Amino acid sequence: MMYIQGFQKIKRVGQILKILSKHGFDEIISRSNLDRILPDSFLYWNNHTRKIFEEDFNVRIRLAIEELGPTFIKLGQLLSNRPDIIPKDLQEELVKLQDNVNTEELDLKLRLEKELAIDLDDHFLSIETVPLASASIAQVYKGELKDGKDIIFKVKRQNIDEIIRADLDFIKDLVRLLRKKYEVINKMNLYEIALSFESSLLNELSFTNELNNIERFRRNFSGNKDVYIPKVYRKYSTDTLICMEYIDGVKINDIAGLENYGLHRKSILQNVLDLFLEQVLMHGFFHADPHPGNVFVNKRGQIVFIDFGAMGFMIPEDRKIIEAMVIDFLANDARSLIKNIKKLAIVHHIQDERRLERDAYEIFEMIKQNALEDIEISVMLQKLNIVLQTNHILLPDFVYILLRGVSILEGTGRQLDAELNIPESISPFAQKIAAQKLSSDYIFGQLKEKAKMIKDVLEEVPDDLLTLLDKVKNDKITLNHRMQDFDNLQLILHRMGNKFLLSILAMTFGVGASILAHGRVGYLLWGIPLLSWFGFIMSFILCFALLNHLYKSK
């Protein structure tokens, strides 16, 4: 089995190289200026060399990605939302990957009957065999149930699992190779990003997982009339196909369509932002790919999310930190923001916190003082990336997924309302979250959590101490240490020892004098033994010396 997988991997790498060559990525030639010195008859002697010199470089990239298949299409879609990484003209070309995907020929009815083990005529009035839409992992077909309800089938492409797994292995191997050769790749944490991309894409391959995501999303928004979640038909669904309600609506960025419905685009945009914030800050479960092709608006003005394959997930503790970071952002509190970044980060090596604070304030002001049309998002994201790389900050996977979602919504917001001010738009929702933190229920819940934590600590510490003492007793503890600035440390310890000794002596004389005074032993002066007087005086002198020592050491 291992040999078969290895052969498939080698075969796929060969296909990738062949496709790259087909689309003219002989960049050593194309960027060598040979076209200036060689005659046209030689340069354009076949279609391949003609492609190298005539076709636009960015178009060739897109065409190559489309032919490479779903993994690279998904990667291209990811890059199309990262103007901080790729040039603007390439970004504009890659945006087309969201809609323009080649259809796959498929005998739909035969596949449905085989997978569902039913006679289609008994359950459906009609099923269209021409795809309504074609995506990188699946194709969408329209149909009608016996009761007249319109539905769609989302059908996974054939052999897609094997192709995607081979492609992911190739991408990881390539990043590992680049990481060894280039320090900048290592600082970008590119391999960790590749692992995050792999995890997200593998989750998308399971349609059972997507069905569960839809049901969970519906539970989270039960009772909310601003959002609509399509109904799913589990009896007509498997791990490779989904049957769900057909949505009659327009894309979120279809301005003409919104106007035909009599809807105000600014209010629609505000609803989308509020719903996304609710997903992130209240549910900790959010749509990871909210591009216009996955966010619709129906005639009633409700926001309709579709394609729940890619979702972001946060544990409760991480969600609380993100909440705090949003409030820090609105309050322009850079110091608290950095503190929360440290809590959230998997790895960080912040060498200059003051500089990091200044960088944070610069980003705050850039966003706060400008409308969306005046913000150069590529400059802001590039600065954010530099800050993270400079301080070697590696954040959890969900943060990068969240940033991608925010970047996508920023693009949509720019189309619907260029005058949108982000802090002003998210401020009401953030204030609602802040108010909840002051409620009695929230405070009581926090007290319960802290009490449980203290109880756990009290139960675990004695066992941990016994384990540690047992290891010490059996010589199983090894200390590895490195002392820097030892002379300074020695002086500090010496001063601490002096203060400690003065404190002990003062306490000893004071306690001893009190005991003697109570016993009335020896000669008395005003009813108190002379030795007690001596003890009290020495205790007073030592206390004065200790206070003086503490004052001088400030």
Side-chain angles (χ1 to χ4, degrees):
M1 184 68 179
M2 187 179 296
Y3 291 113
I4 294 173
Q5 289 177 345
F7 176 74
Q8 291 291 343
K9 185 175 177 179
I10 293 170
K11 184 180 177 182
R12 180 57 180 161
V13 171
Q15 290 173 345
I16 291 170
L17 296 176
K18 183 179 179 181
I19 291 169
L20 291 175
S21 177
K22 173 186 172 183
H23 287 279
F25 286 98
D26 303 84
E27 291 307 301
I28 294 175
I29 299 173
S30 69
R31 295 180 183 274
S32 62
N33 296 323
L34 283 175
D35 55 328
R36 296 181 182 179
I37 59 176
L38 296 176
D40 290 351
S41 59
F42 180 81
L43 288 175
Y44 304 139
W45 68 280
N46 66 17
N47 290 333
H48 180 68
T49 54
R50 184 181 298 277
K51 185 183 291 292
I52 294 173
F53 290 104
E54 284 190 345
E55 286 193 2
D56 182 82
F57 175 69
N58 298 317
V59 173
R60 283 189 283 130
I61 290 179
R62 177 179 59 80
L63 292 173
I65 287 174
E66 286 180 351
E67 193 167 346
L68 283 168
T71 311
F72 293 90
I73 289 171
K74 286 288 182 183
L75 188 59
Q77 289 173 348
L78 175 66
L79 293 174
S80 72
N81 294 294
R82 294 298 301 269
D84 55 313
I85 295 176
I86 61 173
K88 185 177 179 180
D89 52 352
L90 177 58
Q91 179 203 2
E92 290 173 352
E93 189 65 34
L94 293 183
V95 166
K96 299 175 184 177
L97 290 169
Q98 293 177 348
D99 298 313
N100 301 335
V101 181
N102 293 331
T103 59
E104 177 186 60
E105 289 188 13
L106 174 69
D107 189 336
L108 179 62
K109 292 186 177 181
L110 180 63
R111 181 163 172 185
L112 292 177
E113 288 181 342
K114 184 178 178 181
E115 289 205 31
L116 299 176
I118 60 173
D119 185 345
L120 296 180
D121 294 333
D122 293 338
H123 299 266
F124 301 93
L125 288 176
S126 65
I127 295 177
E128 296 179 8
T129 55
V130 177
L132 185 68
S134 183
S136 52
I137 290 178
Q139 297 185 157
V140 177
Y141 300 83
K142 191 176 179 182
E144 187 179 358
L145 292 171
K146 278 286 188 180
D147 60 6
K149 291 180 180 176
D150 290 329
I151 54 95
I152 58 105
F153 274 109
K154 180 179 178 181
V155 184
K156 192 190 292 186
R157 290 173 179 262
Q158 298 179 69
N159 303 318
I160 198 68
D161 292 53
E162 293 81 1
I163 295 171
I164 284 180
R165 292 179 191 278
D167 288 348
L168 288 171
D169 285 342
F170 171 78
I171 291 170
K172 287 189 295 181
D173 289 344
L174 180 61
V175 172
R176 271 196 293 258
L177 179 65
L178 293 173
R179 188 169 64 169
K180 288 179 182 178
K181 289 185 173 292
Y182 303 104
E183 179 63 23
V184 66
I185 299 294
N186 201 33
K187 287 183 177 180
M188 288 171 65
N189 299 309
L190 202 57
Y191 186 69
E192 287 73 17
I193 294 172
L195 291 177
S196 173
F197 174 67
E198 177 187 42
S199 176
S200 175
L201 196 51
L202 291 178
N203 281 335
E204 284 192 64
L205 284 176
S206 171
F207 283 5
T208 301
N209 181 61
E210 182 170 350
L211 285 168
N212 293 334
N213 288 341
I214 297 171
E215 295 298 343
R216 179 176 178 182
F217 203 83
R218 177 178 285 105
R219 288 195 300 271
N220 287 344
F221 283 102
S222 60
N224 190 326
K225 296 181 179 179
D226 292 327
V227 64
Y228 184 82
I229 296 90
K231 180 182 177 182
V232 294
Y233 299 89
R234 280 191 177 265
K235 66 178 180 179
Y236 302 131
S237 303
T238 68
D239 196 50
T240 60
L241 61 91
I242 294 176
C243 180
M244 61 193 302
E245 175 185 0
Y246 172 76
I247 297 300
D248 186 14
V250 297
K251 289 183 180 180
I252 185 70
N253 64 342
D254 184 351
I255 296 173
L258 294 175
E259 289 176 352
N260 286 337
Y261 284 167
L263 301 172
H264 298 286
R265 57 189 181 183
K266 289 186 179 182
S267 61
I268 291 296
L269 176 59
Q270 187 63 55
N271 282 349
V272 172
L273 291 175
D274 287 346
L275 291 170
F276 192 73
L277 284 171
E278 183 174 343
Q279 292 170 47
V280 175
L281 300 181
M282 298 184 69
H283 306 150
F285 183 70
F286 57 93
H287 201 292
D289 196 19
H291 67 75
N294 286 337
V295 185
F296 283 72
V297 182
N298 62 22
K299 292 181 179 179
R300 288 177 290 177
Q302 294 174 304
I303 310 301
V304 187
F305 290 91
I306 63 171
D307 194 352
F308 294 84
M311 302 295 291
F313 169 75
M314 290 182 279
I315 62 173
E317 193 59 37
D318 287 339
R319 182 171 57 80
K320 290 175 184 176
I321 296 172
I322 293 293
E323 280 181 9
M325 289 172 70
V326 171
I327 293 170
D328 293 338
F329 165 70
L330 292 173
N332 285 1
D333 191 343
R335 187 166 297 179
S336 180
L337 180 65
I338 293 167
K339 178 181 171 185
N340 284 310
I341 287 174
K342 285 181 179 179
K343 288 182 183 178
L344 191 64
I346 297 171
V347 178
H348 68 81
H349 301 289
I350 300 174
Q351 297 176 351
D352 187 348
E353 288 203 12
R354 294 290 295 170
R355 181 181 174 184
L356 185 55
E357 274 188 50
R358 286 192 292 272
D359 289 337
Y361 276 119
E362 191 174 331
I363 293 173
F364 288 163
E365 290 302 311
M366 188 186 301
I367 297 173
K368 186 178 180 182
Q369 300 299 330
N370 295 284
L372 201 54
E373 63 180 345
D374 300 321
I375 297 173
E376 190 62 45
I377 196 72
S378 60
V379 175
M380 189 182 72
L381 288 176
Q382 191 173 30
K383 184 171 183 60
L384 180 61
N385 268 353
I386 291 170
V387 168
L388 294 177
Q389 291 172 25
T390 303
N391 296 281
H392 303 287
I393 298 172
L394 176 62
L395 298 170
D397 291 350
F398 77 83
V399 176
Y400 300 104
I401 296 172
L402 178 58
L403 286 175
R404 177 177 179 244
V406 170
S407 179
I408 293 170
L409 287 176
E410 178 272 334
T412 303
R414 192 180 291 272
Q415 294 174 17
L416 293 179
D417 182 12
E419 297 178 358
L420 176 74
N421 185 289
I422 295 174
E424 289 179 5
S425 298
I426 68 175
S427 183
F429 197 92
Q431 288 173 2
K432 178 182 174 183
I433 295 293
Q436 286 180 349
K437 286 181 175 291
L438 297 175
S439 68
S440 58
D441 289 341
Y442 179 84
I443 294 172
F444 182 69
Q446 290 293 299
L447 289 173
K448 283 176 66 177
E449 282 187 21
K450 299 299 181 187
K452 184 179 182 300
M453 184 184 72
I454 292 169
K455 173 180 171 291
D456 292 341
V457 169
L458 292 175
E459 287 177 350
E460 292 171 8
V461 165
D463 291 336
D464 292 340
L465 284 174
L466 287 173
T467 303
L468 180 62
L469 289 171
D470 184 61
K471 288 184 177 181
V472 171
K473 182 180 177 182
N474 294 292
D475 294 328
K476 292 181 179 179
I477 295 291
T478 302
L479 295 177
N480 295 317
H481 62 279
R482 180 176 64 184
M483 300 294 287
Q484 294 180 342
D485 204 4
F486 183 74
D487 292 338
N488 242 356
L489 181 62
Q490 196 174 28
L491 180 62
I492 291 169
L493 291 173
H494 179 69
R495 288 175 178 171
M496 287 175 61
N498 288 342
K499 294 171 187 175
F500 184 69
L501 180 61
L502 286 173
S503 302
I504 294 295
L505 287 174
M507 184 178 68
T508 302
F509 276 109
V511 172
S514 299
I515 293 171
L516 289 172
H518 183 72
R520 295 177 175 272
V521 178
Y523 294 101
L524 304 178
L525 179 63
W526 294 317
I528 298 174
L530 289 176
L531 287 175
S532 291
W533 280 111
F534 176 75
F536 285 135
I537 292 169
M538 287 300 298
S539 179
F540 175 78
I541 292 171
L542 290 169
C543 284
F544 179 78
L546 177 62
L547 291 171
N548 185 54
H549 198 40
L550 290 170
Y551 178 77
K552 287 182 177 179
S553 66
K554 283 186 177 181

